[in-house]
Amino acid sequence: MATTTVISSSLHLPTPTSLRPSQSLYYLSLLHLPSLQKSHRYRHLSPVGSRQKSPTPLLRVSAQENPVKKPEPMVPPYNVLITGSTKGIGYALAKEFLKAGDKVLICSRSAEGVESALQSLREEIGVQHVWGTTCDVRVGNDVKNLVAFAQKNLKYIDIWINNAGSNAYSHKPLAEASDEDLIEVVTTNTLGLMICCREAINMMLNQPRGGHIFNIDGAGSDGRPTPRFAAYGATKRSVAELRMQEVKNVVVHNLSPGMVTTDLLMSGANTKQAKFFINVLAEPAEEVAKYLVPNIRSIPANGSTKPTYIRFLTGLKAYSQIFSRFAFGARRNRYVLED
């Protein structure tokens, strides 16, 4: 299941018609949208091909010194593993990696979902470089078996994307959330993410090429409140804490797909405010993946060893689209009819 920012009916926003452009900055802050300021924690990614490589410094090593052994160069095609990848943004990412010539391993809790996704990918892409297996990221043995499956069929994994996540399709205040929903959200988004990171790191530590892990964030990851899905927001806040830059041979990055028109997002399109922002800011999973995949692939291609935060919906882009809506009526009723 794809991890996606969800607009909840509890957001205390005025009706879109009562908003002035100057007010939009405040109300936008109630949503999960990145600020215009760059985080000090990560190197933010510029568009592919826009960066110039700095000259590589010369390293002098005497006969008595032992040179530091560096990972082997990581050249395409890449071996990619994506959790929660039988639908939504996970499926779209898998498709784009396959189009780029990479080998992809998809997984999901549902055996039927895995089989259906495998068939669709092979029919759409026309290649056989895709594998699939069941995996419940909440269960340690399942993730260990996923690693074993990957090593058996692909030998190694260059790029591991932790996309599996859940909000239990629940849009209720914390006080009304059931035990089952809280357990589902917390065990999938927090425990599952930690288990996957642990197993991915242990596998990649022993790979000559090393590896890159990408964790997908969501609403709440920046610390802003998510009153109608508090458990989801709290779990996504923990994503930023799994940076682990000091892990030898492995680099951990963050991905922010923004608002994606998946089932998870559209299930919350039941208020004026939600419909307004979905129409103005959301994009189909296919469009988001077309942006993310080239930027993800550029990181190992450039030999980067620094944590990177790749964002599809930047603050500037969001504010620009909101302004266009107020000024020109752009994107009205694009996905859902507004009242």
Side-chain angles (χ1 to χ4, degrees), residues 3 11 21 47 69 85 199 222 257 270 288 290:
T3 304
L11 291 175
K69 186 176 181 180
S85 44
E199 297 303 322
D222 56 4
N270 51 13
V288 177
K290 287 178 182 178

Side-chain angles (χ1 to χ4, degrees), residues 112-268:
E112 182 180 348
V114 171
E115 188 58 37
S116 175
L118 280 175
Q119 182 177 349
S120 296
L121 287 171
R122 288 168 177 166
E123 290 177 355
E124 289 185 60
I125 309 301
V127 296
Q128 298 297 319
H129 297 305
V130 55
W131 291 261
T133 186
T134 55
C135 178
D136 186 339
V137 298
R138 303 170 297 179
V139 181
N141 282 338
D142 270 26
V143 183
K144 290 180 186 294
N145 290 336
L146 175 64
V147 169
F149 184 89
Q151 291 174 324
K152 176 182 177 182
N153 291 280
L154 286 84
K155 307 304 180 186
Y156 57 87
I157 294 295
D158 297 309
I159 297 170
W160 180 307
I161 300 177
N162 285 316
N163 175 66
S166 173
N167 77 340
Y169 290 94
S170 176
H171 306 277
K172 301 176 182 178
L174 180 61
E176 299 177 12
S178 68
D179 291 348
E180 293 76 16
D181 285 350
L182 292 176
I183 292 171
E184 159 75 13
V185 172
V186 174
T187 55
T188 302
N189 299 356
T190 301
L191 179 62
L193 176 63
M194 291 181 178
I195 291 174
C196 286
C197 281
R198 180 191 67 191
E199 297 303 322
I201 289 170
N202 286 331
M203 174 181 63
M204 291 175 173
L205 281 173
N206 299 315
Q207 295 181 168
R209 291 158 62 110
H212 293 267
I213 300 171
F214 292 84
N215 295 325
I216 293 187
D217 65 16
S221 62
D222 56 4
R224 293 170 181 162
T226 54
R228 293 285 285 184
F229 39 95
Y232 178 90
T235 61
K236 287 303 175 180
R237 181 62 173 164
S238 67
V239 173
E241 301 306 317
L242 292 177
R243 298 188 301 275
M244 297 177 288
Q245 297 101 319
E246 302 303 321
V247 178
K248 182 182 178 182
N249 226 31
V250 184
V251 189
V252 182
H253 313 271
N254 274 15
L255 288 178
S256 179
M259 297 177 63
V260 185
T261 56
T262 62
D263 293 342
L264 197 65
L265 176 69
M266 302 310 289
S267 66

Side-chain angles (χ1 to χ4, degrees), residues 61-75:
V61 182
S62 65
Q64 290 77 23
E65 294 177 335
N66 293 321
V68 177
K69 186 176 181 180
K70 296 183 178 181
E72 292 180 0
M74 194 177 290
V75 295

